[in-house]
Amino acid sequence: HIEAQYGGSEMKDLDELIVAEEFNYGCSGVATAILANNLALAPVLVGADDYIKRKFLEPMTKEFKLAAYAVTEPGAGSD
């Protein structure tokens, strides 16, 4: 949920849930593809300072962009 100061709509959790439910009703694959940006942006939304938020969030709201992230868990077997 990107804050208005970074170009977002300030959608609330319930709003996103309703949108996700409607997407999934039509096609869960499309819903996953569209809503996956939220997963990738979550660390920025939760823990970034203002500079990083402006750098990564504003472009996501101004033009079509996709977000991604990588996770490594040495020794955990999911690599």
Side-chain angles (χ1 to χ4, degrees):
H1 314 299
I2 298 176
E3 300 168 27
Q5 68 188 35
Y6 304 111
S9 64
E10 293 204 25
M11 185 181 283
K12 304 298 181 209
D13 289 334
L14 181 58
D15 300 327
E16 183 180 348
L17 176 68
I18 293 167
V19 170
E21 187 175 66
E22 292 299 318
F23 279 149
N24 278 292
Y25 181 78
C27 177
S28 62
V30 170
T32 300
I34 292 171
L35 299 170
N37 272 352
N38 293 347
L39 181 62
L41 292 176
V44 176
L45 292 166
V46 172
D49 63 15
D50 185 64
Y51 172 77
I52 296 296
K53 285 183 178 182
R54 289 199 186 283
K55 181 176 179 178
F56 289 100
L57 299 179
E58 286 183 353
M60 298 297 289
T61 63
K62 292 183 178 172
E63 57 188 274
F64 179 74
K65 296 229 179 239
L66 297 174
Y69 76 106
V71 176
T72 59
E73 298 172 321
S78 66
D79 292 346

